[in-house]
Amino acid sequence: MKGPLLPPVKHATVTEMLAATARTELGLTFVEASERETVLPWAEVHRRAQRTAAGLQRLGVSEGDRVAILLPTSPAFMDAFFGALLAGAVPVPLYPPVRLGRLEEYHRSTARMLEVTGAAVVLTDLKVKLLLGAAVEAARPRLGCRTVDEVSRGEDALAVSVRPEALGLIQFSSGSTVDPKPVALTHAALMAQVAALEAASPLPPGTPPVGVSWLPLYHDMGLIGCLLSALYYPGNMVLLPPEVFLARPALWLRALSRHKGFISPAPNFAYGLCLKRVKDEELRGVDLSSWKHALNGAEPVSLETLRRFVDRFERYGFSPSALRPVYGLSEASLAVTFPPGGRGPRSLQVDMDVLAREGRVVEGSWPLVSVGSPVAGVEVELRDGLGHALPERRVGRVFARGPSVMAGYYGDAEATARTLGPDGWLDTGDLGFVAEGELYLTGRAKDLVIIRGANHAPQSFEDCLQGVEGVRVGCAVALGFTPEGSEGEALLILAERVGPEADDAAVEDRVRAAVVAGTGIRPHMVRMLDPGTLPRTSSGKLRRAEALRRYLSRELSPPKKVGAVGLAVEMAKSALAFVRSERGD
């Protein structure tokens, strides 16, 4: 499958793009929990970044140096990110520590990421700096750990010109099946990506487009798909901190209404969270009719969640045609496939038993959602275990090629060679099939559950639990494991509870019944866990392999008794889990 031709890119580098957009009257709007807003024009972003770039040069940062950034969604992040680029350096956004209960683990994983990228300096704020001590001490960056305020003092300005083939970003892969790897992206790759994104979501007529996002800026959907895309269009960008969205999901919808947001992406769980947490009284006067591109990516897409979202929010002007399940990965900068705009979701009913056993697509009762066709400039191919291209409706491994694919994993030639072929084809590690020119994903190759010789995507079990009472939405994993005394693999379900521990037995019975009803397979073991226990990546994906490792090594905490207040606290903590990885990825 080939996408359309990539249109000519408007700018050669991210720094050229920033300089051009700084000549407009457009900019960023930061929304606080109180809905108080702060506007930062692109011209001011550019000016402040030039000042930070000069400060980095004074500090001793040279062209090509890696600058680690650990900051929340804020003007300071813009200073650090664009300042590093204007200094000719390579920004490495990492997530800041939020969960104090796992600081030791966070320090280990952050130190590893600082070490593998050879970060010359860490840029942060005073609050985060106080929590970073052990990680910085272990990694020992050459120029230490500095606050943005400290680096940006002075009125000197700097803007270094860089070549398109120079590195423009190192972003860590999500690490859903392995430890996250440093994905090296050139300026040219980033420009190709945002050009493809613009082609996939044409501008509305008239006023400049407005994007709205609560996604973390250390992740590709938030950073490239939202921030850099807004620079490229160019347009205005409205940013909410992830923790604000999680505390009150209605603020995302209210911001979309208030600013007439044209495009806003989110993982599938966010649409489910709105269904569960947004109250009608919070939506008085809300109009979602301007939201033309409700992208759904970064995790498996549930057709049932999409249908329920439409049923609930259509009365507020939301159009079902705005929903666009999409597919991408860090190693491709971001997007690989998009469905046509304005069509709405497309699904196929397949026989999951035949799919698992034979890798063939035949009609059945299980719905799978299309994630569309390749974006501009990208090719997609499905291959079997021998590397041969597969015809339509045969399950294989997804390979992608295009100008936005990574240069490689920074400093890791061996891992690069395993993933990126000399001909430019990227092995995504995902499984899927093509039907009528569109891609359908069936799971991750390394996440397969193999029972009685049949391969099962874990999502086929996990989707059965979406409406089970007592299970937190989107907080369950299906895993294959070999029970003691058995020679074959069996099904293990780990799920986070909603209610009291005393209800666990009844909830486990409901989980078993739901899985049997949906798949015909009975779980060997169901274990209920405290909220926030399951490990996640920085983009919110559940790390199945890591969850299994922790279960087998008895690291997953045993159930503990908590009162109503304690449970509320645990639930509040776990609501933030999707924006952090419990192993620092």
Side-chain angles (χ1 to χ4, degrees):
M1 289 194 299
K2 287 187 177 181
L5 291 176
L6 184 72
V9 297
K10 301 174 186 176
H11 313 287
T13 65
V14 177
T15 48
E16 283 186 21
M17 177 173 66
L18 175 61
T21 305
R23 293 192 287 271
T24 71
E25 296 182 354
L26 306 169
L28 300 171
T29 299
F30 296 89
V31 181
E32 300 175 11
S34 65
E35 295 189 278
R36 178 178 175 270
E37 297 184 346
T38 301
V39 176
L40 190 68
W42 288 118
E44 182 67 5
V45 172
H46 190 219
R47 187 190 69 78
R48 290 169 57 133
Q50 287 177 308
R51 194 171 63 192
T52 304
L56 287 170
Q57 187 184 68
R58 285 194 306 270
L59 187 63
V61 171
S62 303
E63 291 186 39
D65 278 348
R66 277 74 60 208
V67 175
I69 300 168
L70 291 97
L71 286 161
T73 298
S74 61
F77 181 95
M78 306 303 155
D79 299 344
F81 180 79
F82 292 112
L85 287 169
L86 288 172
V90 184
V92 185
L94 304 176
Y95 80 96
V98 181
R99 196 168 199 184
L100 301 181
R102 292 188 180 271
L103 264 184
E104 184 177 347
E105 194 172 348
Y106 171 83
H107 286 151
R108 284 197 302 269
S109 57
T110 301
R112 171 190 168 271
M113 289 188 277
L114 295 176
E115 289 167 354
V116 299
T117 57
V121 65
V122 174
L123 288 185
T124 186
D125 59 22
L126 187 57
K127 181 179 178 181
V128 174
K129 185 177 180 179
L130 294 173
L131 299 172
L132 284 177
V136 174
E137 184 177 343
R140 297 187 180 280
R142 175 168 55 88
L143 301 174
C145 180
R146 313 282 178 150
T147 68
V148 173
D149 286 344
E150 163 184 10
V151 171
S152 301
R153 289 172 186 158
E155 294 301 322
D156 294 344
L158 177 68
V160 173
S161 295
V162 296
R163 296 170 288 111
E165 57 269 27
L167 288 186
L169 172 67
I170 294 176
Q171 63 175 1
F172 277 83
S173 63
S174 65
S176 54
T177 59
V178 295
D179 281 338
K181 294 184 176 66
V183 175
L185 299 172
T186 64
H187 282 265
L190 293 168
M191 290 300 95
Q193 174 64 202
V194 290
L197 290 172
E198 182 189 46
S201 303
L203 291 171
T207 58
V210 177
V212 177
S213 174
W214 55 265
L215 297 167
L217 294 173
Y218 50 80
H219 183 254
D220 50 13
M221 278 182 78
L223 180 62
I224 301 172
C226 296
L227 183 66
L228 296 189
S229 288
L231 265 176
Y232 189 81
Y233 271 100
N236 292 306
M237 190 74 224
V238 180
L239 296 172
L240 295 82
E243 60 273 19
V244 167
F245 162 75
L246 288 167
R248 287 188 62 196
L251 297 188
W252 177 35
L253 306 182
R254 289 162 65 97
L256 277 160
S257 173
R258 191 164 59 249
H259 292 275
K260 300 188 183 301
F262 160 72
I263 186 167
S264 186
N268 189 82
F269 93 89
Y271 294 90
L273 191 63
C274 287
L275 289 168
K276 184 177 180 181
R277 298 275 302 282
V278 175
K279 300 174 182 176
D280 287 344
E281 53 265 33
E282 295 179 290
L283 297 180
R284 291 192 184 115
V286 163
D287 178 4
L288 300 175
S289 60
S290 295
W291 192 6
K292 303 301 183 185
H293 301 284
L295 309 179
N296 185 330
E299 64 183 16
V301 177
S302 165
L303 186 62
E304 178 61 22
T305 298
L306 300 186
R307 287 173 176 162
R308 291 173 56 216
F309 190 86
V310 170
D311 289 345
R312 171 76 191 282
F313 296 105
E314 200 168 13
R315 75 190 77 162
Y316 298 102
F318 182 77
S319 171
S321 65
L323 286 169
R324 299 182 73 185
V326 297
Y327 167 62
L329 67 162
S330 302
E331 288 85 346
S333 293
L334 176 59
V336 173
T337 61
F338 266 47
R343 183 192 70 186
R346 171 182 289 179
S347 65
L348 277 180
Q349 303 287 122
V350 304
D351 185 319
M352 289 299 287
D353 184 60
V354 174
L355 193 77
R357 292 182 181 277
E358 304 176 26
R360 291 190 303 114
V361 179
V362 298
E363 187 175 346
S365 60
W366 194 268
L368 290 177
V369 181
S370 164
V371 289
S373 303
V375 298
V378 171
E379 299 175 74
V380 170
E381 191 170 273
L382 278 292
R383 299 180 183 176
D384 63 17
L386 298 176
H388 300 143
L390 290 168
E392 286 206 353
R393 294 179 177 265
R394 292 301 300 268
V395 174
R397 205 168 177 115
V398 181
F399 283 74
R401 179 168 67 177
S404 62
V405 166
M406 67 176 181
Y409 294 118
Y410 186 83
D412 194 339
E414 184 179 341
T416 299
R418 288 196 303 267
T419 306
L420 187 61
D423 54 1
W425 280 102
L426 171 70
D427 180 357
T428 68
D430 291 311
L431 299 176
F433 63 87
V434 174
E436 298 180 1
E438 298 194 15
L439 179 64
Y440 293 77
L441 297 174
T442 59
R444 292 282 300 178
K446 293 184 179 179
D447 282 339
L448 288 175
V449 179
I450 305 173
I451 298 177
R452 295 188 294 275
N455 296 336
H456 298 269
Q459 292 91 340
S460 63
F461 303 112
E462 293 161 3
D463 285 351
C464 300
L465 309 181
Q466 292 292 329
V468 173
E469 183 183 354
V471 175
R472 296 189 67 225
V473 176
C475 297
V477 291
L479 307 164
F481 82 121
T482 303
E484 186 176 353
S486 173
E487 296 180 359
E489 191 165 81
L491 178 60
L492 165 68
I493 303 290
L494 303 177
E496 295 179 6
R497 69 172 65 83
V498 169
E501 177 192 336
D503 293 345
D504 279 0
V507 177
E508 289 169 4
D509 286 343
R510 289 197 289 268
V511 167
R512 287 190 178 90
V515 174
V516 170
T519 68
I521 295 174
R522 183 176 177 81
H524 178 88
M525 174 74 72
V526 177
R527 170 66 63 83
M528 301 306 298
L529 305 171
D530 293 327
T533 300
L534 289 171
R536 292 179 178 267
T537 71
S538 61
S539 61
K541 299 176 187 175
L542 289 162
R543 298 188 68 189
R544 298 185 183 90
E546 174 61 14
L548 179 60
R549 185 194 70 77
R550 294 187 186 186
Y551 171 79
L552 295 176
S553 63
R554 304 181 186 275
E555 291 180 33
L556 290 178
S557 58
K560 61 184 179 222
K561 300 186 185 304
V562 294
V565 173
L567 180 62
V569 170
E570 289 299 318
M571 293 285 284
K573 289 179 180 178
S574 66
L576 295 172
F578 89 103
V579 294
R580 337 172 174 82
S581 161
E582 294 188 6
R583 281 173 55 94
D585 39 352

